[in-house]
Amino acid sequence: MSARTRNLWRSLHLWLAVLAAIPLLVTGVTGVLLAYVEPIEQWLEPEVFAVEATGEALRPSVIAARLRSAYPDATLHHVGVPSSPPDYPYTVFASAPGAEGRERFMLFADPYTGTVQQRSDRGPMQVVEAIHRNLTFGQAGRYWVSGSSILLIAISIIGVYLWWPMRANTVRRMVRRRDAMNWHMVTGLLVLPVLALIALTGVTLTFNKQVIPFLYAVTNSPQMPEPPRVELQNEAALSLAEAVQAVERKLPQAQITAFSDRKHADLSLIHI
């Protein structure tokens, strides 16, 4: 590799890193915070997230009935079920008809008492999650973060390409000379697998409709079955609480992790 070609690749490596730095730094910091979301929320908002064990925890079907009774007109988009024994409330993303279209809000249900609280504004960690997902710029922000992840992949490939001719004795030079460039190369090589995995999964989450079928085709894996469509005959549909209770009876050893009751949907969605 000539000196001119190497300088060209080094400049490209540098400027791609500068372009990707801000969104990747923001998503990295917010990702670390989200890894500890439950203890952080319990520390920041104990009035909402602190749970006191006052006996045996209520079953998810009972909580579902309490939520539906308290908010009969709401659409429960996602109900997160705490782990057992619960030390965190049920968290619910919901919406209901309002004066200006559908109003979105959050509900919190105590797993021991069944008490339901509502919050219309986003809490601190919901803001952090929004920043992590799309930098608060909606779909455009998702594309920005995904584009930065693609740049990260390109930066990693160029970095390995630049290091390869200098690979001999890299660690020895780093230790003996204490050269910043050698430290940069060794550190980059060590974190490369993790960075590549983060970048690839980030791109997959953004373009899942295009990437997931491609991955199924490449790996020759069976695709996930689609939820069945239910056609009601003469019998009335089960309520959300009844549907969750049916799962509890059918799979008594299973741990329900989430459920939802989407209006005008063919069935409730229950994750175990």
Side-chain angles (χ1 to χ4, degrees), residues 38 41 49 51 58-61 63-64 67 76-84 86-94 105-111 240 244 255-262 269-272:
E38 292 189 5
E41 285 183 325
F49 294 99
V51 170
L58 300 174
R59 297 191 307 276
S61 57
I63 297 295
L67 290 168
L76 307 180
H77 299 281
H78 180 85
V79 181
V81 180
S83 58
S84 184
D87 59 355
Y88 195 75
Y90 283 72
T91 55
V92 186
F93 293 91
F105 52 90
M106 290 191 68
L107 301 174
F108 304 92
D110 190 296
L240 175 62
V244 176
Q255 172 70 42
I256 297 176
T257 59
F259 55 87
S260 62
D261 185 20
R262 300 174 182 175
L269 300 177
I270 303 173
H271 303 272
I272 57 176

Side-chain angles (χ1 to χ4, degrees), residues 1-22:
M1 184 190 305
S2 66
R4 181 177 180 181
T5 302
R6 183 173 183 83
N7 288 334
L8 178 63
W9 282 109
R10 287 183 64 177
S11 298
L12 182 62
H13 182 71
L14 171 64
W15 287 109
L16 288 179
V18 170
L19 288 174
I22 294 178

Side-chain angles (χ1 to χ4, degrees), residues 34-85:
L34 291 174
Y36 302 96
V37 60
E38 292 189 5
I40 292 176
E41 285 183 325
Q42 289 175 332
W43 174 62
L44 290 176
E45 301 178 90
E47 68 281 0
V48 175
F49 294 99
V51 170
E52 182 180 355
T54 57
E56 187 175 353
L58 300 174
R59 297 191 307 276
S61 57
V62 176
I63 297 295
R66 298 283 181 90
L67 290 168
R68 180 52 67 217
S69 175
Y71 294 86
D73 298 326
T75 297
L76 307 180
H77 299 281
H78 180 85
V79 181
V81 180
S83 58
S84 184

Side-chain angles (χ1 to χ4, degrees), residues 230-248:
V230 179
E231 294 184 4
L232 298 178
Q233 303 298 328
N234 296 326
E235 298 182 4
L238 294 177
S239 67
L240 175 62
E242 291 171 334
V244 176
Q245 189 177 49
V247 173
E248 291 173 339

Side-chain angles (χ1 to χ4, degrees), residues 1-271:
M1 184 190 305
S2 66
R4 181 177 180 181
T5 302
R6 183 173 183 83
N7 288 334
L8 178 63
W9 282 109
R10 287 183 64 177
S11 298
L12 182 62
H13 182 71
L14 171 64
W15 287 109
L16 288 179
V18 170
L19 288 174
I22 294 178
L24 291 179
L25 178 62
V26 172
T27 54
V29 172
T30 52
V32 171
L33 294 176
L34 291 174
Y36 302 96
V37 60
E38 292 189 5
I40 292 176
E41 285 183 325
Q42 289 175 332
W43 174 62
L44 290 176
E45 301 178 90
E47 68 281 0
V48 175
F49 294 99
V51 170
E52 182 180 355
T54 57
E56 187 175 353
L58 300 174
R59 297 191 307 276
S61 57
V62 176
I63 297 295
R66 298 283 181 90
L67 290 168
R68 180 52 67 217
S69 175
Y71 294 86
D73 298 326
T75 297
L76 307 180
H77 299 281
H78 180 85
V79 181
V81 180
S83 58
S84 184
D87 59 355
Y88 195 75
Y90 283 72
T91 55
V92 186
F93 293 91
S95 66
E100 300 179 358
R102 296 199 68 83
E103 297 180 356
R104 294 186 175 273
F105 52 90
M106 290 191 68
L107 301 174
F108 304 92
D110 190 296
Y112 295 97
T113 65
T115 303
V116 180
Q117 300 183 61
Q118 176 182 341
R119 185 174 66 192
S120 298
D121 58 322
R122 294 189 297 180
M125 294 308 292
Q126 279 73 53
V127 175
V128 170
E129 183 176 3
I131 295 173
H132 179 76
R133 288 181 179 275
N134 53 41
L135 305 177
T136 70
F137 293 130
Q139 192 63 30
R142 289 177 65 89
Y143 289 143
W144 188 8
V145 173
S146 182
S148 298
S149 298
I150 295 173
L151 287 181
L152 179 59
I153 297 172
I155 292 165
S156 301
I157 294 172
I158 295 172
V160 172
Y161 175 71
L162 290 171
W163 165 78
W164 188 253
M166 307 168 58
R167 63 189 182 279
N169 301 319
T170 301
V171 176
R172 182 181 299 176
R173 292 197 305 270
M174 179 190 72
V175 175
R176 290 186 176 181
R177 300 181 185 178
R178 302 182 184 277
D179 182 65
M181 180 58 68
N182 286 293
W183 276 97
H184 175 79
M185 289 189 291
V186 172
T187 303
L189 290 170
L190 290 175
V191 302
L192 177 60
V194 177
L195 291 179
L197 183 62
I198 292 173
L200 289 172
T201 53
V203 173
T204 301
L205 289 172
T206 300
F207 301 102
N208 61 86
K209 292 183 180 180
Q210 294 79 24
V211 175
I212 296 299
F214 172 76
L215 292 177
Y216 278 127
V218 170
T219 60
N220 198 26
S221 302
Q223 297 196 20
M224 291 288 290
E226 295 185 1
R229 298 188 66 84
V230 179
E231 294 184 4
L232 298 178
Q233 303 298 328
N234 296 326
E235 298 182 4
L238 294 177
S239 67
L240 175 62
E242 291 171 334
V244 176
Q245 189 177 49
V247 173
E248 291 173 339
R249 288 197 303 264
K250 183 71 174 180
L251 303 170
Q253 302 302 320
Q255 172 70 42
I256 297 176
T257 59
F259 55 87
S260 62
D261 185 20
R262 300 174 182 175
K263 296 293 186 181
H264 310 300
D266 293 320
L267 73 167
S268 299
L269 300 177
I270 303 173
H271 303 272

